[in-house]
Amino acid sequence: TESDPTSRMTIPPAGKGRQTYLTVPELNRLLKAFDDPEAAAVAKIAFYTGLRWISELLPRQPSDVKVNRGQVWLSAGATKNGTPRMVPVHPAIRAELKRIPFTRHWRDYYAAFEKARNRAGLKHVRMHDLRHSLASAIISRGGTLSDVQGALHHTSAASARRYAHLYPDRLRAIMLKVGVK
């Protein structure tokens, strides 16, 4: 055609849920603002694993860290949907895994998080946003919604769809490649 038919496309607005996603530089700024290394480790592990920090991360024990053929995995036990979950461990958090088990009450970790987020100028960020930030990071690196579904252990693709709006330019570029040799 003479004009680009996709130029008239609009991406539907995302739902009304919270949409706060940290970039890796923002995460690093947050981590530097902690004065509690153990609480910083909880935040860093939450980001790089996508684990729900109270129910899936804090109960972890040293025996939940598994090594198989040189790969490190973290067993998250039974998740919110009742199924077992194994999470690949990013090299950025291997050292933090030595802090497991986390023995303090979750409120202590959250208080340290609140202090750090205020110092980092990220007052709008909640601890659970670290989980959602992993989804954003996956998509920004070329991952698919299926990858997000697997990483966050969503039982349905519908749960992962809330992140589809994050990179409309990427979607447009992919669609423009369809049918091109």
Side-chain angles (χ1 to χ4, degrees):
T1 64
E2 293 180 20
S3 64
D4 179 1
T6 63
S7 65
R8 296 185 312 269
M9 286 178 58
T10 57
I11 303 295
K16 297 197 185 286
R18 275 181 50 83
Q19 296 175 21
T20 301
Y21 309 106
L22 272 73
T23 61
V24 172
E26 288 171 326
L27 171 71
N28 291 333
R29 189 170 85 220
L30 172 67
L31 295 173
K32 287 179 185 172
F34 275 90
D35 58 7
D36 178 343
E38 187 172 311
V42 169
K44 190 172 184 179
I45 295 170
F47 175 87
Y48 280 100
T49 63
L51 292 175
R52 293 171 182 91
W53 70 283
I54 295 175
S55 63
E56 296 174 354
L57 175 56
L58 293 182
R60 301 291 45 92
Q61 296 296 312
S63 60
D64 292 324
V65 179
K66 313 281 186 189
V67 179
N68 184 8
R69 291 187 249 170
Q71 296 178 348
V72 183
W73 295 80
L74 182 61
S75 173
T79 62
K80 180 179 168 183
N81 62 36
T83 59
R85 180 174 176 198
M86 290 292 284
V87 180
V89 171
H90 192 284
I93 61 168
R94 285 188 180 172
E96 281 74 14
L97 294 180
K98 293 179 179 139
R99 294 186 175 278
I100 294 175
F102 299 109
T103 57
R104 298 178 354 225
H105 193 277
W106 68 264
R107 286 187 188 99
D108 292 336
Y109 297 113
Y110 200 82
F113 172 79
E114 285 181 317
K115 221 173 172 181
R117 76 177 181 185
N118 291 339
R119 282 188 193 139
L122 299 166
K123 294 179 184 184
H124 62 289
V125 175
R126 296 182 190 160
M127 191 69 158
H128 192 73
D129 294 333
L130 298 174
R131 175 176 166 79
H132 297 293
S133 296
L134 175 64
S136 173
I138 289 168
I139 291 173
S140 73
R141 292 294 194 184
T144 65
L145 292 181
S146 180
D147 296 329
V148 170
Q149 181 182 354
L152 298 185
H153 204 67
H154 288 149
T155 54
S156 73
S159 297
R161 269 189 230 125
R162 76 179 71 174
Y163 306 104
H165 69 284
L166 290 174
Y167 296 93
D169 292 336
R170 181 178 174 277
L171 173 61
R172 183 176 184 280
I174 289 169
M175 290 178 72
L176 290 175
K177 291 178 183 177
V178 173
V180 177
K181 291 184 180 184

